Amino acid sequence: MKFKILIIDDKDHSVSESSTKLISKLEESHRKFLTLRADIEGLWGANEQGDDVILLHDFRQYEYVFIHDSFNEPLILASLKESFINQVSFQTQLVFFSGSRSRSRTPKQERLRNINPDVSYYAINRSQYFENMNNFLDSAILGRQDIIHLYDKSNPIRSVVQEELKKAIMVDLEESIEKAARGVNMEKLLEFLKITDISGYVETFAKKDDIDFIRSLDML
């Protein structure tokens, strides 16, 4: 799957909810989608007059670029921020995160007011970014990519997919235990749950009566 995120965060590992700590707590299956930078060297700079941004990097290889938006030590000078957003937004989707931003359970989009009001970018609280990145990456891995999962983890995408597969198996059960146990939905569920002995589970389910089948399915 070609899904890549660039994170630019100047906060080191000692800082609470730093990006290095975020990446260290993720599984390797999730970490591989992230590239972390602590500085902007080789990414962008200012022109000779210092009044405009010059991009030094092609950001089109990333679906999202996350940038720490510090008030005291900004990675992008305030005078150049709108120009930067306007240029980069034609290549990728920008997400600015900061501990000073308010929390929101719905995606918070902001727009350029002066240069190009049609250009938008996302803003998110650092704690939400830190807490929900795993859920957001899950949505991409499962083919359900949606930035809502970066803001709201009250209904984890893995739980949603798991319940959908169980409901599909229950529909199969209405036809027969054989179809429910040996059907494609059961196989998908067991693979999703990373169960190694799939054939053993299938045979066990195939021997159950309806009540025991449903009870065992609920326990998965």
Side-chain angles (χ1 to χ4, degrees):
M1 181 183 65
K2 294 182 179 179
F3 180 79
K4 296 172 66 178
I5 292 176
L6 173 63
I7 300 171
I8 308 170
D9 188 2
D10 54 338
K11 298 299 183 183
D12 62 34
H13 189 76
S14 63
V15 176
S16 174
E17 299 177 335
S18 68
S19 293
T20 51
K21 286 184 178 178
L22 164 64
I23 293 175
S24 68
K25 74 182 185 120
L26 295 175
E27 295 181 3
E28 175 57 32
S29 60
H30 291 58
R31 288 199 299 267
K32 67 181 181 180
F33 298 111
L34 307 179
T35 299
L36 176 62
R37 289 284 305 268
D39 56 59
I40 65 168
E41 183 178 355
L43 298 178
W44 68 82
N47 62 5
E48 292 184 3
Q49 293 74 30
D51 60 1
D52 200 6
V53 169
I54 298 176
L55 297 185
L56 306 174
H57 186 77
D58 186 355
F59 294 97
R60 288 175 295 184
Q61 61 186 294
Y62 306 105
E63 276 68 28
Y64 291 89
V65 173
F66 285 73
I67 301 175
H68 174 219
D69 191 23
S70 172
F71 179 79
N72 295 320
E73 299 177 271
L75 292 169
I76 309 168
L77 294 176
S79 60
L80 302 177
K81 189 173 180 179
E82 284 213 352
S83 175
F84 171 80
I85 294 171
N86 188 52
Q87 292 185 51
V88 177
S89 291
F90 285 99
Q91 297 187 9
T92 187
Q93 182 65 66
L94 284 168
V95 182
F96 289 95
F97 61 93
S98 171
S100 62
R101 292 188 179 275
S102 60
R103 283 177 170 263
S104 173
R105 290 185 64 179
T106 57
K108 187 175 181 181
Q109 278 188 290
E110 298 180 356
R111 294 189 178 276
L112 297 183
R113 296 180 179 178
N114 301 317
I115 297 179
N116 189 349
D118 292 330
V119 170
S120 65
Y121 57 94
Y122 291 100
I124 191 170
N125 175 270
R126 177 184 278 274
S127 293
Q128 282 187 285
Y129 151 79
F130 186 85
E131 296 165 2
N132 300 344
M133 177 61 79
N134 186 71
N135 193 44
F136 178 52
L137 292 173
D138 274 341
S139 76
I141 292 170
L142 296 171
R144 308 284 187 92
Q145 181 197 323
D146 191 326
I147 200 164
I148 182 65
H149 301 296
L150 184 67
Y151 289 81
D152 185 8
K153 65 172 184 178
S154 61
N155 197 12
I157 187 64
R158 289 192 65 84
S159 297
V160 171
V161 173
Q162 185 172 333
E163 287 307 308
E164 287 178 356
L165 288 171
K166 286 184 177 181
K167 287 179 181 178
I169 292 170
M170 289 299 294
V171 172
D172 291 339
L173 184 61
E174 292 176 4
E175 183 173 327
S176 69
I177 286 181
E178 186 72 11
K179 181 174 182 180
R182 303 186 190 278
V184 64
N185 292 313
M186 176 64 79
E187 183 178 355
K188 286 181 178 178
L189 176 62
L190 297 176
E191 288 178 349
F192 179 76
L193 296 174
K194 299 179 181 180
I195 292 173
T196 54
D197 185 18
I198 291 179
S199 60
Y201 268 78
V202 167
E203 292 304 320
T204 299
F205 270 96
K207 296 175 183 177
K208 297 179 181 293
D209 59 32
D210 285 9
I211 295 176
D212 198 19
F213 186 103
I214 294 171
R215 185 183 298 115
S216 298
L217 182 64
D218 287 340
M219 293 175 64
L220 285 179

